[in-house]
């Protein structure tokens, strides 16, 4: 299990109800710019606690959202959140394993993913599956953490990752773009968001250096609260060095 409850409680405390990644509703809205979800059927890969799936239905008007994840306790929490928001009929969750997506060809109008692809090593395999389950004309939209060529060998990245409990599978932007093309996507795009994330991450470090950390420690323990601060600082160094490159990916079937 990569996302135990004390970690997800800490991430949710920092980033908002049901959310395990930075950016919140504003970033989701940016990702969906120019895409009308009203009445559409959406797959969310790596749905975590389900906060983004609730947003896709309640704020963006998706008719049906299916969130998939590999951790059963996250699926349970996400179902509870959808029920609490009165959306259990439209927002559902399914436990999966990495690999072939358990859906028929051309099942979805949009495949969405927020900060989850970074856990999946074989980008071409996952993009190809996304392509398969999309309806013709449907969009794949994802936020993902990529990195510069050779970053893995760098001291900054090494120092950051050595403080993390999570396992990541980063890829350089050029490789991600090529994998989108190889998977068959039209209009493929990889947009560098490092400046936005540098700003957001600086605010996160400042927040965790302040009195909030004591509140977080009271909730999840001192060790976890300190580890969130160390992780935010390590991520800042990786962003500032140019090694870590958060991106928005797009492709159309
Ligand atoms: C950083 S969290 C993001 C969760 C959610 N998208 C959000 O932004 O709040 C990454 C999520 O990806 C999930 N995940 C990891 N590998 C996966 C896979 N192969 N398929 C689906 N989900 C996966 C994790 O369990 C976790 O819930």
């Amino acid at each position: 299990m990569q996302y135990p409850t004390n970690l997800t409680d800490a991430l949710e405390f920092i980033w908002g109800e049901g959310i395990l990644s930075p950016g919140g509703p504003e970033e989701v809205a940016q990702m969906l710019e120019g895409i009308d979800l009203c009445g559409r059927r959406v797959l969310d890969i790596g749905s975590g606690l389900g906060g983004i799936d609730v947003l896709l239905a309640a704020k963006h008007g998706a008719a049906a959202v299916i969130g998939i994840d590999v951790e059963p306790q996250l699926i349970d929490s996400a179902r509870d959140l959808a029920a609490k928001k009165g959306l259990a009929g439209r927002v559902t969750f399914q436990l999966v394993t990495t690999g072939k997506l358990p859906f028929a060809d051309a099942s979805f109008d949009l495949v969405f993913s927020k900060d989850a692809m970074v856990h999946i090593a074989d980008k071409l395999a996952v993009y190809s599956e996304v392509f398969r389950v999309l309806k013709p004309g449907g969009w794949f939209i994802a936020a993902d953490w990529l990195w510069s060529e050779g970053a893995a060998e760098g001291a900054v990245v090494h120092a950051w990752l050595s403080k993390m409990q999570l396992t990541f599978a980063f890829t350089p932007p050029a490789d991600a773009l090529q994998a989108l093309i190889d998977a068959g996507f039209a209009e493929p795009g990889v947009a560098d968001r490092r400046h936005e994330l540098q700003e957001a991450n600086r605010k996160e470090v400042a927040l965790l250096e302040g009195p909030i950390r004591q509140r977080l420690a009271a909730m999840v323990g001192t060790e976890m609260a300190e580890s969130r601060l160390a992780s935010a600082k390590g991520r800042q160094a990786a962003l500032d060095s140019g090694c870590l490159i958060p991106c928005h990916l797009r492709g159309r079937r």
Side-chain angles (χ1 to χ4, degrees):
M1 186 195 294
Q2 289 215 67
Y3 285 89
T5 304
N6 64 343
L7 176 59
T8 56
D9 283 352
L11 296 176
E12 193 177 30
F13 176 84
I14 298 167
W15 288 318
E17 187 181 26
I19 296 191
L20 297 179
S21 64
E26 296 76 22
E27 186 175 344
V28 173
Q30 283 166 11
M31 291 170 72
L32 293 172
E33 236 164 57
I35 293 175
D36 182 6
L37 280 195
C38 288
R40 304 294 185 180
R41 192 174 146 80
V42 178
L43 173 67
D44 176 28
I45 300 181
S47 45
L49 297 177
I52 286 177
D53 308 272
V54 163
L55 269 177
L56 293 172
K59 185 170 168 213
H60 296 280
V65 181
I66 300 179
I68 57 171
D69 207 287
V70 290
E71 300 210 10
Q73 81 289 357
L74 298 179
I75 294 288
D76 290 344
S77 298
R79 283 184 181 141
D80 289 347
L81 182 67
K84 184 176 141 194
K85 301 289 180 188
L87 287 166
R90 269 164 74 201
V91 180
T92 56
F93 297 91
Q94 203 167 314
L95 185 65
V96 298
T97 51
T98 303
K100 200 167 155 51
L101 295 170
F103 305 103
D105 297 357
S107 298
F108 297 97
D109 298 293
L110 175 85
V111 176
F112 186 91
S113 184
K114 176 86 173 59
D115 295 1
M117 294 277 156
V118 70
H119 293 303
I120 303 174
D122 191 339
K123 306 299 178 193
L124 178 56
V126 68
Y127 297 168
S128 299
E129 273 297 281
V130 169
F131 188 85
R132 181 184 66 75
V133 301
L134 270 173
K135 295 179 186 171
W139 281 100
F140 171 41
I141 305 279
D144 198 11
W145 296 86
L146 308 182
W147 65 8
S148 59
E149 201 78 55
E153 289 79 47
V156 175
V157 164
H158 195 264
W160 171 49
L161 293 184
S162 67
K163 295 191 188 86
M164 299 286 287
Q165 307 96 315
L166 296 165
T167 307
F168 294 129
F170 296 103
T171 197
D175 292 3
L177 182 62
Q178 190 58 53
L180 285 171
I181 294 166
D182 292 347
F185 284 102
E187 303 174 54
V190 177
D192 185 332
R193 298 196 67 255
R194 118 183 56 172
H195 297 302
E196 290 89 333
L197 265 290
Q198 273 176 303
E199 274 312 298
N201 205 89
R202 248 186 276 288
K203 287 185 191 149
E204 186 186 328
V205 170
L207 189 80
L208 287 170
E209 280 177 333
I212 285 279
R213 195 162 80 263
Q214 269 65 53
R215 276 179 50 204
L216 181 60
M219 195 192 218
V220 293
T222 304
E223 198 181 324
M224 177 56 75
E226 294 302 327
S227 123
R228 290 329 305 156
L229 176 60
S231 165
K233 284 181 167 173
R235 196 185 319 123
Q236 189 70 50
L239 284 164
D240 292 345
S241 69
C243 290
L244 186 60
I245 311 174
C247 290
H248 284 173
L249 314 182
R250 269 185 175 222
R252 190 166 209 176
R253 173 156 186 187

